[in-house]
């Protein structure tokens, strides 16, 4: 198993080999969620804290389910119910949580860089569940797993990522992951949300939706992130929708076997038509299912490794758990 990082803060700089190793581990975990008893003892006795400073349906729930399926104990903390409301800083909160000896902290925060900051202040693994406009690495990993399942390989595919690229942590993590795995990446959106410097990421920029989607193998739609837009990047949502909503007519420009992805939550009729979101090319629910397997893989790779290191400290001859695939009950 090549993945040897202590934290998962982002996918920038992570090699294709490491990403493939994570996807392989996630693929081996999928079967556990199909069992009658959906639990393996891999992280028994371990504690995972979900520290969410922003709302979430998919990410928070799937991290909790993932940890529970690995037999870890989970604690969920939201900003509104924590001492953040009394003025406590993020690093003080994390240091206090660490003093209770968790084995990993999963963090979602509205500020870019919040997870890197915490990783400098606490000793246990930090897993980025989305930080501001920076990265959302587990979302990109589940997107890659979904594409790989349906196409066999990612290398050589043309992937169009459409929408609010400027504010999208999902888009940014996907650019890093898809490029590392050998895909050709197109970024598609209004020029105000698609700065020319993005070309330095090794992608092609398309201001027109039809041009960006034409002959694509994968179309990944992004949510318009009005909560992160401090200014008006387009005149009205109606006009945005007129030019950038993925409709059935636009989908017909892509390859006949195109697959459609969206990280959710959906703004139906704004960035994606209901007929497309619920249509035959959509893998949006497959993405959600794969989110559990990817988060199981990340927790296993980061937390079971520290468990193996603990074992090595007391039992020098013990075989590290790293490198095992397909954990069985
Ligand atoms: N895709 C995603 O991050 O969804 P949530 O905001 O519901 O977690």
């Amino acid at each position: 198993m090549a993945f040897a990082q202590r934290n998962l803060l982002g996918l920038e700089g992570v090699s294709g080999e490491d990403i493939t190793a994570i996807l392989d581990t996630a693929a081996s975990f999928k079967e556990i969620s199909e069992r009658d008893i959906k639990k393996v003892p891999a992280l028994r006795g371990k504690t995972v804290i979900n520290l969410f400073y922003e709302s979430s349906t998919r990410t928070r729930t799937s991290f909790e389910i993932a940890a529970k399926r690995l037999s870890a104990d989970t604690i969920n903390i939201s900003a509104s119910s924590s001492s953040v409301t009394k003025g406590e800083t993020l690093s003080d909160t994390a240091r206090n949580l660490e003093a209770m000896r968790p084995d990993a902290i999963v963090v979602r925060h509205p500020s870019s860089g919040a997870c890197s900051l915490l990783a400098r202040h606490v000793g246990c693994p930090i897993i980025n569940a989305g930080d501001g406009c920076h990265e959302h690495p587990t979302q990109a990993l589940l997107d890659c797993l979904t594409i790989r399942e349906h196409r066999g390989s990612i290398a050589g595919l043309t992937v169009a990522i459409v929408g609010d690229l400027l504010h999208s942590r999902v888009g940014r993590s996907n650019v890093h992951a898809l490029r590392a795995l050998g895909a050709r990446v197109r970024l598609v959106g209004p020029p105000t949300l698609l700065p020319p410097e993005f070309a330095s990421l090794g992608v092609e920029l398309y201001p027109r939706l039809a041009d960006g989607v034409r002959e694509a193998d994968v179309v990944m739609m992004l949510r318009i992130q009005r909560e992160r837009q401090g200014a008006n990047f387009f005149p009205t949502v109606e006009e945005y929708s007129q030019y950038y909503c993925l409709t059935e007519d636009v989908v017909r420009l892509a390859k006949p076997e195109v697959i459609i992805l969206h990280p959710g939550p959906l703004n139906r009729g704004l960035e994606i038509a209901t007929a497309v979101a619920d249509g035959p090319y959509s893998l949006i629910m497959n993405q959600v299912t794969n989110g559990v397997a990817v988060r199981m893989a990340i927790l296993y790779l980061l937390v079971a490794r520290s468990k193996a290191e603990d074992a090595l400290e007391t039992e020098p001859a013990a075989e590290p758990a790293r490198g095992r695939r397909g954990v069985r009950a």
Side-chain angles (χ1 to χ4, degrees), residues 140-186:
L141 291 167
L142 72 88
D143 295 336
C144 289
L145 181 62
T146 307
I147 297 170
R148 199 180 75 162
E149 275 178 355
H150 287 264
R151 286 289 176 270
S153 167
I154 288 175
L157 295 181
T158 296
V159 183
I161 308 179
V162 182
D164 183 0
L165 274 309
L166 185 63
H167 301 97
S168 178
R169 54 198 181 202
V170 175
R172 209 172 297 270
S173 285
N174 264 294
V175 167
H176 296 312
L178 291 164
R179 294 270 302 129
L181 294 172
R184 183 176 169 195
V185 179
R186 300 174 177 172

mmCIF file of all heavy atoms in Angstrom, residues 140-186:
data_model
loop_
_atom_site.group_PDB
_atom_site.id
_atom_site.type_symbol
_atom_site.label_atom_id
_atom_site.label_comp_id
_atom_site.label_asym_id
_atom_site.label_seq_id
_atom_site.Cartn_x
_atom_site.Cartn_y
_atom_site.Cartn_z
ATOM 1 N N ALA A 140 -13.639 14.138 -4.311
ATOM 2 C CA ALA A 140 -12.975 13.820 -5.587
ATOM 3 C C ALA A 140 -12.633 12.341 -5.661
ATOM 4 O O ALA A 140 -12.736 11.725 -6.735
ATOM 5 C CB ALA A 140 -11.721 14.674 -5.747
ATOM 6 N N LEU A 141 -12.254 11.752 -4.537
ATOM 7 C CA LEU A 141 -11.923 10.318 -4.559
ATOM 8 C C LEU A 141 -13.156 9.482 -4.878
ATOM 9 O O LEU A 141 -13.088 8.515 -5.646
ATOM 10 C CB LEU A 141 -11.321 9.899 -3.205
ATOM 11 C CG LEU A 141 -9.926 10.465 -2.921
ATOM 12 C CD1 LEU A 141 -9.558 10.270 -1.458
ATOM 13 C CD2 LEU A 141 -8.874 9.806 -3.818
ATOM 14 N N LEU A 142 -14.307 9.854 -4.311
ATOM 15 C CA LEU A 142 -15.518 9.076 -4.609
ATOM 16 C C LEU A 142 -15.959 9.322 -6.051
ATOM 17 O O LEU A 142 -16.515 8.424 -6.702
ATOM 18 C CB LEU A 142 -16.624 9.360 -3.583
ATOM 19 C CG LEU A 142 -17.347 10.701 -3.610
ATOM 20 C CD1 LEU A 142 -18.554 10.682 -4.532
ATOM 21 C CD2 LEU A 142 -17.806 11.073 -2.200
ATOM 22 N N ASP A 143 -15.700 10.518 -6.571
ATOM 23 C CA ASP A 143 -16.005 10.780 -7.984
ATOM 24 C C ASP A 143 -15.130 9.902 -8.876
ATOM 25 O O ASP A 143 -15.611 9.303 -9.840
ATOM 26 C CB ASP A 143 -15.766 12.265 -8.313
ATOM 27 C CG ASP A 143 -16.723 13.192 -7.577
ATOM 28 O OD1 ASP A 143 -17.817 12.727 -7.192
ATOM 29 O OD2 ASP A 143 -16.386 14.370 -7.377
ATOM 30 N N CYS A 144 -13.844 9.826 -8.528
ATOM 31 C CA CYS A 144 -12.925 8.990 -9.335
ATOM 32 C C CYS A 144 -13.312 7.517 -9.241
ATOM 33 O O CYS A 144 -13.256 6.789 -10.248
ATOM 34 C CB CYS A 144 -11.481 9.189 -8.871
ATOM 35 S SG CYS A 144 -10.824 10.802 -9.312
ATOM 36 N N LEU A 145 -13.707 7.075 -8.055
ATOM 37 C CA LEU A 145 -14.118 5.674 -7.920
ATOM 38 C C LEU A 145 -15.332 5.393 -8.803
ATOM 39 O O LEU A 145 -15.416 4.359 -9.483
ATOM 40 C CB LEU A 145 -14.432 5.369 -6.449
ATOM 41 C CG LEU A 145 -14.863 3.930 -6.137
ATOM 42 C CD1 LEU A 145 -13.752 2.937 -6.474
ATOM 43 C CD2 LEU A 145 -15.257 3.781 -4.659
ATOM 44 N N THR A 146 -16.269 6.334 -8.827
ATOM 45 C CA THR A 146 -17.487 6.171 -9.625
ATOM 46 C C THR A 146 -17.156 6.123 -11.118
ATOM 47 O O THR A 146 -17.681 5.268 -11.859
ATOM 48 C CB THR A 146 -18.474 7.313 -9.320
ATOM 49 O OG1 THR A 146 -18.672 7.386 -7.900
ATOM 50 C CG2 THR A 146 -19.815 7.103 -10.015
ATOM 51 N N ILE A 147 -16.272 7.019 -11.551
ATOM 52 C CA ILE A 147 -15.885 7.021 -12.977
ATOM 53 C C ILE A 147 -15.171 5.710 -13.310
ATOM 54 O O ILE A 147 -15.463 5.065 -14.326
ATOM 55 C CB ILE A 147 -14.966 8.225 -13.287
ATOM 56 C CG1 ILE A 147 -15.697 9.555 -13.056
ATOM 57 C CG2 ILE A 147 -14.454 8.144 -14.730
ATOM 58 C CD1 ILE A 147 -14.782 10.780 -13.101
ATOM 59 N N ARG A 148 -14.248 5.318 -12.453
ATOM 60 C CA ARG A 148 -13.460 4.106 -12.727
ATOM 61 C C ARG A 148 -14.345 2.870 -12.802
ATOM 62 O O ARG A 148 -14.155 2.021 -13.667
ATOM 63 C CB ARG A 148 -12.381 3.952 -11.642
ATOM 64 C CG ARG A 148 -11.256 3.038 -12.041
ATOM 65 C CD ARG A 148 -10.205 2.910 -10.952
ATOM 66 N NE ARG A 148 -10.642 2.067 -9.849
ATOM 67 C CZ ARG A 148 -9.817 1.522 -8.953
ATOM 68 N NH1 ARG A 148 -8.520 1.763 -9.014
ATOM 69 N NH2 ARG A 148 -10.272 0.769 -7.971
ATOM 70 N N GLU A 149 -15.327 2.786 -11.909
ATOM 71 C CA GLU A 149 -16.246 1.642 -11.926
ATOM 72 C C GLU A 149 -16.975 1.527 -13.266
ATOM 73 O O GLU A 149 -17.247 0.442 -13.746
ATOM 74 C CB GLU A 149 -17.310 1.803 -10.835
ATOM 75 C CG GLU A 149 -16.897 1.322 -9.480
ATOM 76 C CD GLU A 149 -18.003 1.557 -8.459
ATOM 77 O OE1 GLU A 149 -19.057 2.172 -8.773
ATOM 78 O OE2 GLU A 149 -17.802 1.136 -7.337
ATOM 79 N N HIS A 150 -17.317 2.696 -13.832
ATOM 80 C CA HIS A 150 -18.155 2.682 -15.041
ATOM 81 C C HIS A 150 -17.365 2.760 -16.327
ATOM 82 O O HIS A 150 -17.906 2.489 -17.401
ATOM 83 C CB HIS A 150 -19.202 3.800 -14.962
ATOM 84 C CG HIS A 150 -20.265 3.467 -13.973
ATOM 85 N ND1 HIS A 150 -21.465 2.887 -14.336
ATOM 86 C CD2 HIS A 150 -20.273 3.553 -12.631
ATOM 87 C CE1 HIS A 150 -22.168 2.657 -13.240
ATOM 88 N NE2 HIS A 150 -21.480 3.051 -12.201
ATOM 89 N N ARG A 151 -16.101 3.119 -16.245
ATOM 90 C CA ARG A 151 -15.273 3.221 -17.457
ATOM 91 C C ARG A 151 -14.060 2.289 -17.411
ATOM 92 O O ARG A 151 -13.331 2.195 -18.385
ATOM 93 C CB ARG A 151 -14.807 4.662 -17.668
ATOM 94 C CG ARG A 151 -15.905 5.574 -18.169
ATOM 95 C CD ARG A 151 -16.255 5.255 -19.629
ATOM 96 N NE ARG A 151 -17.359 6.051 -20.095
ATOM 97 C CZ ARG A 151 -18.643 5.691 -19.998
ATOM 98 N NH1 ARG A 151 -18.970 4.523 -19.448
ATOM 99 N NH2 ARG A 151 -19.594 6.472 -20.436
ATOM 100 N N GLY A 152 -13.823 1.650 -16.269
ATOM 101 C CA GLY A 152 -12.695 0.725 -16.147
ATOM 102 C C GLY A 152 -11.394 1.443 -15.805
ATOM 103 O O GLY A 152 -10.622 0.964 -14.994
ATOM 104 N N SER A 153 -11.187 2.591 -16.439
ATOM 105 C CA SER A 153 -9.961 3.351 -16.190
ATOM 106 C C SER A 153 -10.276 4.828 -16.394
ATOM 107 O O SER A 153 -11.215 5.186 -17.110
ATOM 108 C CB SER A 153 -8.881 2.895 -17.166
ATOM 109 O OG SER A 153 -7.806 3.807 -17.155
ATOM 110 N N ILE A 154 -9.464 5.683 -15.782
ATOM 111 C CA ILE A 154 -9.664 7.134 -15.927
ATOM 112 C C ILE A 154 -8.701 7.715 -16.961
ATOM 113 O O ILE A 154 -9.002 8.705 -17.616
ATOM 114 C CB ILE A 154 -9.527 7.803 -14.538
ATOM 115 C CG1 ILE A 154 -10.770 7.438 -13.703
ATOM 116 C CG2 ILE A 154 -9.379 9.314 -14.656
ATOM 117 C CD1 ILE A 154 -10.759 7.895 -12.278
ATOM 118 N N ALA A 155 -7.559 7.059 -17.123
ATOM 119 C CA ALA A 155 -6.544 7.565 -18.062
ATOM 120 C C ALA A 155 -7.142 7.691 -19.458
ATOM 121 O O ALA A 155 -7.790 6.760 -19.953
ATOM 122 C CB ALA A 155 -5.339 6.628 -18.075
ATOM 123 N N GLY A 156 -6.935 8.846 -20.063
ATOM 124 C CA GLY A 156 -7.376 9.062 -21.437
ATOM 125 C C GLY A 156 -8.793 9.578 -21.581
ATOM 126 O O GLY A 156 -9.197 9.982 -22.674
ATOM 127 N N LEU A 157 -9.571 9.579 -20.503
ATOM 128 C CA LEU A 157 -10.946 10.095 -20.589
ATOM 129 C C LEU A 157 -10.935 11.629 -20.656
ATOM 130 O O LEU A 157 -10.040 12.275 -20.101
ATOM 131 C CB LEU A 157 -11.774 9.676 -19.374
ATOM 132 C CG LEU A 157 -12.058 8.184 -19.190
ATOM 133 C CD1 LEU A 157 -12.910 7.971 -17.938
ATOM 134 C CD2 LEU A 157 -12.736 7.601 -20.414
ATOM 135 N N THR A 158 -11.943 12.188 -21.324
ATOM 136 C CA THR A 158 -12.137 13.642 -21.320
ATOM 137 C C THR A 158 -13.243 13.956 -20.322
ATOM 138 O O THR A 158 -14.378 13.482 -20.466
ATOM 139 C CB THR A 158 -12.532 14.142 -22.727
ATOM 140 O OG1 THR A 158 -11.440 13.877 -23.611
ATOM 141 C CG2 THR A 158 -12.819 15.635 -22.715
ATOM 142 N N VAL A 159 -12.886 14.711 -19.284
ATOM 143 C CA VAL A 159 -13.834 15.045 -18.216
ATOM 144 C C VAL A 159 -14.087 16.550 -18.237
ATOM 145 O O VAL A 159 -13.149 17.340 -18.103
ATOM 146 C CB VAL A 159 -13.281 14.624 -16.834
ATOM 147 C CG1 VAL A 159 -14.313 14.922 -15.740
ATOM 148 C CG2 VAL A 159 -12.894 13.154 -16.821
ATOM 149 N N ALA A 160 -15.351 16.942 -18.416
ATOM 150 C CA ALA A 160 -15.733 18.358 -18.378
ATOM 151 C C ALA A 160 -16.302 18.671 -16.997
ATOM 152 O O ALA A 160 -17.266 18.029 -16.568
ATOM 153 C CB ALA A 160 -16.774 18.649 -19.456
ATOM 154 N N ILE A 161 -15.675 19.606 -16.297
ATOM 155 C CA ILE A 161 -16.179 20.046 -14.985
ATOM 156 C C ILE A 161 -16.798 21.421 -15.202
ATOM 157 O O ILE A 161 -16.125 22.351 -15.660
ATOM 158 C CB ILE A 161 -15.045 20.123 -13.940
ATOM 159 C CG1 ILE A 161 -14.260 18.801 -13.902
ATOM 160 C CG2 ILE A 161 -15.606 20.452 -12.564
ATOM 161 C CD1 ILE A 161 -13.101 18.796 -12.904
ATOM 162 N N VAL A 162 -18.086 21.539 -14.887
ATOM 163 C CA VAL A 162 -18.863 22.712 -15.316
ATOM 164 C C VAL A 162 -19.412 23.477 -14.119
ATOM 165 O O VAL A 162 -20.039 22.871 -13.235
ATOM 166 C CB VAL A 162 -20.070 22.265 -16.184
ATOM 167 C CG1 VAL A 162 -20.849 23.489 -16.679
ATOM 168 C CG2 VAL A 162 -19.622 21.397 -17.342
ATOM 169 N N GLY A 163 -19.206 24.801 -14.113
ATOM 170 C CA GLY A 163 -19.909 25.611 -13.123
ATOM 171 C C GLY A 163 -19.023 26.617 -12.430
ATOM 172 O O GLY A 163 -18.164 27.248 -13.045
ATOM 173 N N ASP A 164 -19.232 26.715 -11.117
ATOM 174 C CA ASP A 164 -18.593 27.739 -10.302
ATOM 175 C C ASP A 164 -17.207 27.267 -9.871
ATOM 176 O O ASP A 164 -16.966 26.952 -8.705
ATOM 177 C CB ASP A 164 -19.500 28.002 -9.089
ATOM 178 C CG ASP A 164 -18.982 29.105 -8.201
ATOM 179 O OD1 ASP A 164 -17.919 29.676 -8.506
ATOM 180 O OD2 ASP A 164 -19.651 29.388 -7.188
ATOM 181 N N LEU A 165 -16.287 27.202 -10.828
ATOM 182 C CA LEU A 165 -14.939 26.695 -10.538
ATOM 183 C C LEU A 165 -14.203 27.568 -9.528
ATOM 184 O O LEU A 165 -13.417 27.068 -8.715
ATOM 185 C CB LEU A 165 -14.114 26.612 -11.829
ATOM 186 C CG LEU A 165 -14.214 25.350 -12.708
ATOM 187 C CD1 LEU A 165 -14.009 24.083 -11.904
ATOM 188 C CD2 LEU A 165 -15.501 25.296 -13.474
ATOM 189 N N LEU A 166 -14.446 28.852 -9.569
ATOM 190 C CA LEU A 166 -13.715 29.785 -8.706
ATOM 191 C C LEU A 166 -13.895 29.444 -7.229
ATOM 192 O O LEU A 166 -12.956 29.520 -6.445
ATOM 193 C CB LEU A 166 -14.197 31.217 -8.984
ATOM 194 C CG LEU A 166 -13.459 32.334 -8.255
ATOM 195 C CD1 LEU A 166 -11.994 32.383 -8.677
ATOM 196 C CD2 LEU A 166 -14.130 33.674 -8.527
ATOM 197 N N HIS A 167 -15.112 29.043 -6.851
ATOM 198 C CA HIS A 167 -15.399 28.806 -5.433
ATOM 199 C C HIS A 167 -15.467 27.327 -5.074
ATOM 200 O O HIS A 167 -15.806 26.994 -3.951
ATOM 201 C CB HIS A 167 -16.737 29.465 -5.068
ATOM 202 C CG HIS A 167 -16.750 30.931 -5.302
ATOM 203 N ND1 HIS A 167 -17.265 31.498 -6.439
ATOM 204 C CD2 HIS A 167 -16.258 31.951 -4.554
ATOM 205 C CE1 HIS A 167 -17.108 32.814 -6.373
ATOM 206 N NE2 HIS A 167 -16.510 33.107 -5.257
ATOM 207 N N SER A 168 -15.165 26.454 -6.041
ATOM 208 C CA SER A 168 -15.453 25.040 -5.812
ATOM 209 C C SER A 168 -14.260 24.246 -5.299
ATOM 210 O O SER A 168 -13.287 24.016 -6.011
ATOM 211 C CB SER A 168 -15.950 24.392 -7.109
ATOM 212 O OG SER A 168 -16.176 23.020 -6.869
ATOM 213 N N ARG A 169 -14.362 23.777 -4.066
ATOM 214 C CA ARG A 169 -13.336 22.863 -3.536
ATOM 215 C C ARG A 169 -13.448 21.498 -4.203
ATOM 216 O O ARG A 169 -12.471 20.788 -4.354
ATOM 217 C CB ARG A 169 -13.485 22.758 -2.013
ATOM 218 C CG ARG A 169 -14.864 22.373 -1.533
ATOM 219 C CD ARG A 169 -15.053 22.721 -0.072
ATOM 220 N NE ARG A 169 -16.356 22.347 0.445
ATOM 221 C CZ ARG A 169 -16.903 22.906 1.515
ATOM 222 N NH1 ARG A 169 -16.276 23.867 2.158
ATOM 223 N NH2 ARG A 169 -18.070 22.503 1.957
ATOM 224 N N VAL A 170 -14.667 21.138 -4.612
ATOM 225 C CA VAL A 170 -14.863 19.850 -5.308
ATOM 226 C C VAL A 170 -14.134 19.886 -6.657
ATOM 227 O O VAL A 170 -13.412 18.955 -7.022
ATOM 228 C CB VAL A 170 -16.363 19.573 -5.523
ATOM 229 C CG1 VAL A 170 -16.566 18.315 -6.355
ATOM 230 C CG2 VAL A 170 -17.088 19.455 -4.192
ATOM 231 N N GLY A 171 -14.316 20.991 -7.390
ATOM 232 C CA GLY A 171 -13.658 21.111 -8.690
ATOM 233 C C GLY A 171 -12.146 21.057 -8.552
ATOM 234 O O GLY A 171 -11.458 20.362 -9.294
ATOM 235 N N ARG A 172 -11.620 21.778 -7.571
ATOM 236 C CA ARG A 172 -10.160 21.845 -7.386
ATOM 237 C C ARG A 172 -9.587 20.461 -7.055
ATOM 238 O O ARG A 172 -8.591 20.034 -7.645
ATOM 239 C CB ARG A 172 -9.863 22.821 -6.242
ATOM 240 C CG ARG A 172 -8.534 23.536 -6.331
ATOM 241 C CD ARG A 172 -8.474 24.607 -5.242
ATOM 242 N NE ARG A 172 -9.485 25.627 -5.423
ATOM 243 C CZ ARG A 172 -9.311 26.738 -6.137
ATOM 244 N NH1 ARG A 172 -8.156 26.960 -6.725
ATOM 245 N NH2 ARG A 172 -10.277 27.618 -6.255
ATOM 246 N N SER A 173 -10.216 19.751 -6.121
ATOM 247 C CA SER A 173 -9.703 18.414 -5.774
ATOM 248 C C SER A 173 -9.813 17.479 -6.968
ATOM 249 O O SER A 173 -8.936 16.635 -7.193
ATOM 250 C CB SER A 173 -10.480 17.831 -4.582
ATOM 251 O OG SER A 173 -10.088 18.461 -3.387
ATOM 252 N N ASN A 174 -10.887 17.609 -7.740
ATOM 253 C CA ASN A 174 -11.035 16.743 -8.905
ATOM 254 C C ASN A 174 -9.986 17.033 -9.975
ATOM 255 O O ASN A 174 -9.503 16.107 -10.624
ATOM 256 C CB ASN A 174 -12.444 16.861 -9.491
ATOM 257 C CG ASN A 174 -13.348 15.759 -8.975
ATOM 258 O OD1 ASN A 174 -13.138 14.584 -9.261
ATOM 259 N ND2 ASN A 174 -14.342 16.127 -8.169
ATOM 260 N N VAL A 175 -9.649 18.301 -10.155
ATOM 261 C CA VAL A 175 -8.597 18.610 -11.135
ATOM 262 C C VAL A 175 -7.315 17.876 -10.742
ATOM 263 O O VAL A 175 -6.678 17.206 -11.563
ATOM 264 C CB VAL A 175 -8.352 20.135 -11.221
ATOM 265 C CG1 VAL A 175 -7.067 20.430 -11.989
ATOM 266 C CG2 VAL A 175 -9.536 20.823 -11.893
ATOM 267 N N HIS A 176 -6.933 17.961 -9.467
ATOM 268 C CA HIS A 176 -5.692 17.307 -9.033
ATOM 269 C C HIS A 176 -5.775 15.785 -9.217
ATOM 270 O O HIS A 176 -4.845 15.156 -9.733
ATOM 271 C CB HIS A 176 -5.408 17.634 -7.563
ATOM 272 C CG HIS A 176 -5.164 19.095 -7.310
ATOM 273 N ND1 HIS A 176 -4.296 19.845 -8.083
ATOM 274 C CD2 HIS A 176 -5.678 19.948 -6.387
ATOM 275 C CE1 HIS A 176 -4.278 21.098 -7.643
ATOM 276 N NE2 HIS A 176 -5.111 21.190 -6.619
ATOM 277 N N ALA A 177 -6.901 15.204 -8.794
ATOM 278 C CA ALA A 177 -7.024 13.740 -8.855
ATOM 279 C C ALA A 177 -7.095 13.245 -10.304
ATOM 280 O O ALA A 177 -6.392 12.303 -10.692
ATOM 281 C CB ALA A 177 -8.263 13.291 -8.075
ATOM 282 N N LEU A 178 -7.945 13.884 -11.090
ATOM 283 C CA LEU A 178 -8.145 13.411 -12.468
ATOM 284 C C LEU A 178 -6.878 13.590 -13.297
ATOM 285 O O LEU A 178 -6.537 12.725 -14.117
ATOM 286 C CB LEU A 178 -9.320 14.161 -13.107
ATOM 287 C CG LEU A 178 -10.692 13.813 -12.525
ATOM 288 C CD1 LEU A 178 -11.733 14.849 -12.927
ATOM 289 C CD2 LEU A 178 -11.126 12.417 -12.966
ATOM 290 N N ARG A 179 -6.164 14.698 -13.092
ATOM 291 C CA ARG A 179 -4.904 14.906 -13.817
ATOM 292 C C ARG A 179 -3.881 13.847 -13.387
ATOM 293 O O ARG A 179 -3.173 13.292 -14.211
ATOM 294 C CB ARG A 179 -4.368 16.311 -13.535
ATOM 295 C CG ARG A 179 -5.237 17.422 -14.086
ATOM 296 C CD ARG A 179 -4.865 17.821 -15.499
ATOM 297 N NE ARG A 179 -3.489 18.247 -15.569
ATOM 298 C CZ ARG A 179 -2.583 17.786 -16.441
ATOM 299 N NH1 ARG A 179 -2.932 16.880 -17.317
ATOM 300 N NH2 ARG A 179 -1.347 18.232 -16.430
ATOM 301 N N ALA A 180 -3.822 13.568 -12.087
ATOM 302 C CA ALA A 180 -2.860 12.558 -11.603
ATOM 303 C C ALA A 180 -3.170 11.182 -12.190
ATOM 304 O O ALA A 180 -2.261 10.369 -12.387
ATOM 305 C CB ALA A 180 -2.884 12.507 -10.076
ATOM 306 N N LEU A 181 -4.446 10.932 -12.480
ATOM 307 C CA LEU A 181 -4.838 9.624 -13.019
ATOM 308 C C LEU A 181 -4.848 9.608 -14.551
ATOM 309 O O LEU A 181 -5.255 8.616 -15.159
ATOM 310 C CB LEU A 181 -6.220 9.231 -12.472
ATOM 311 C CG LEU A 181 -6.246 8.979 -10.954
ATOM 312 C CD1 LEU A 181 -7.678 8.800 -10.465
ATOM 313 C CD2 LEU A 181 -5.399 7.761 -10.571
ATOM 314 N N GLY A 182 -4.448 10.710 -15.166
ATOM 315 C CA GLY A 182 -4.251 10.704 -16.622
ATOM 316 C C GLY A 182 -5.434 11.148 -17.452
ATOM 317 O O GLY A 182 -5.453 10.928 -18.666
ATOM 318 N N ALA A 183 -6.436 11.789 -16.832
ATOM 319 C CA ALA A 183 -7.582 12.287 -17.616
ATOM 320 C C ALA A 183 -7.228 13.630 -18.259
ATOM 321 O O ALA A 183 -6.334 14.351 -17.805
ATOM 322 C CB ALA A 183 -8.795 12.467 -16.717
ATOM 323 N N ARG A 184 -7.966 13.926 -19.324
ATOM 324 C CA ARG A 184 -7.890 15.253 -19.939
ATOM 325 C C ARG A 184 -9.041 16.055 -19.326
ATOM 326 O O ARG A 184 -10.200 15.627 -19.425
ATOM 327 C CB ARG A 184 -8.078 15.068 -21.437
ATOM 328 C CG ARG A 184 -7.969 16.310 -22.241
ATOM 329 C CD ARG A 184 -8.070 15.952 -23.717
ATOM 330 N NE ARG A 184 -8.215 17.153 -24.499
ATOM 331 C CZ ARG A 184 -8.607 17.161 -25.761
ATOM 332 N NH1 ARG A 184 -8.913 16.038 -26.373
ATOM 333 N NH2 ARG A 184 -8.698 18.291 -26.401
ATOM 334 N N VAL A 185 -8.716 17.167 -18.683
ATOM 335 C CA VAL A 185 -9.736 17.887 -17.912
ATOM 336 C C VAL A 185 -10.072 19.220 -18.594
ATOM 337 O O VAL A 185 -9.180 19.997 -18.925
ATOM 338 C CB VAL A 185 -9.260 18.136 -16.459
ATOM 339 C CG1 VAL A 185 -10.325 18.899 -15.672
ATOM 340 C CG2 VAL A 185 -8.941 16.811 -15.770
ATOM 341 N N ARG A 186 -11.370 19.439 -18.780
ATOM 342 C CA ARG A 186 -11.868 20.721 -19.281
ATOM 343 C C ARG A 186 -12.624 21.410 -18.147
ATOM 344 O O ARG A 186 -13.444 20.768 -17.487
ATOM 345 C CB ARG A 186 -12.860 20.502 -20.426
ATOM 346 C CG ARG A 186 -12.296 19.781 -21.622
ATOM 347 C CD ARG A 186 -13.421 19.515 -22.606
ATOM 348 N NE ARG A 186 -12.963 18.888 -23.823
ATOM 349 C CZ ARG A 186 -13.785 18.430 -24.768
ATOM 350 N NH1 ARG A 186 -15.119 18.542 -24.621
ATOM 351 N NH2 ARG A 186 -13.314 17.879 -25.854
#
